[in-house]
Amino acid sequence: MNRLKGFGSHAIDIVEDLGLLLIALLTVIAMGQELWLVIKAATVTLADLLLLFIYLEVLAMVGLYLQSGRLPVRMPLYIVIVALARYMALDMKNLDTWRMLGLGAAILVVALAILVIRFGHKRYPYGDTDKL
């Protein structure tokens, strides 16, 4: 039974690593496509830079997960903030006041969630296994 558990655990680890490598590869491809569009247009916009930053955050999240074996909870929240900021920058002219306030409030809520999670990790660490 222990041998079967070990095999199952090892198989899940392999699938997990392959999934992470696939995510990293697809992220690099998406970055290349975005860079190609920037080169083709011969202009760099704030939206382009923010999208590239999102891609870098995804790569950093994959790298952290591969190093530590745990998903950093705060990283996706950082990505959400940048994605909301990118949405605001892209659609600024078409946003009405309430939608703009809603997006700002959403960014504030996510930022507060990050602070709460960070405070929780510092104040109530998991022990020796808490490296984030």
Side-chain angles (χ1 to χ4, degrees), residues 32-43 48:
Q33 290 173 340
E34 181 63 23
L35 286 173
W36 176 249
L37 291 175
V38 167
I39 291 169
K40 205 166 119 177
T43 59
D48 296 327

Side-chain angles (χ1 to χ4, degrees), residues 25-115:
L25 177 66
L26 292 175
T27 304
V28 170
I29 290 171
M31 285 178 76
Q33 290 173 340
E34 181 63 23
L35 286 173
W36 176 249
L37 291 175
V38 167
I39 291 169
K40 205 166 119 177
T43 59
V44 180
T45 65
L46 179 61
D48 296 327
L49 294 175
L50 290 173
L51 186 58
L52 289 172
F53 186 72
I54 290 171
Y55 291 145
L56 286 175
E57 286 291 324
V58 170
L59 285 177
M61 187 171 56
V62 169
L64 264 170
Y65 189 79
L66 286 173
Q67 285 177 350
S68 69
R70 295 184 321 174
L71 181 65
V73 176
R74 292 188 315 264
M75 295 293 281
L77 296 177
Y78 296 139
I79 294 170
V80 167
I81 289 175
V82 174
L84 288 172
R86 182 178 184 273
Y87 174 71
M88 287 175 74
L90 283 177
D91 209 20
M92 181 73 75
K93 294 176 185 168
N94 298 328
L95 292 176
D96 61 358
T97 305
W98 287 107
R99 188 168 301 231
M100 185 75 77
L101 286 172
L103 287 169
I107 290 172
L108 180 63
V109 167
V110 174
L112 290 173
I114 291 169
L115 285 174

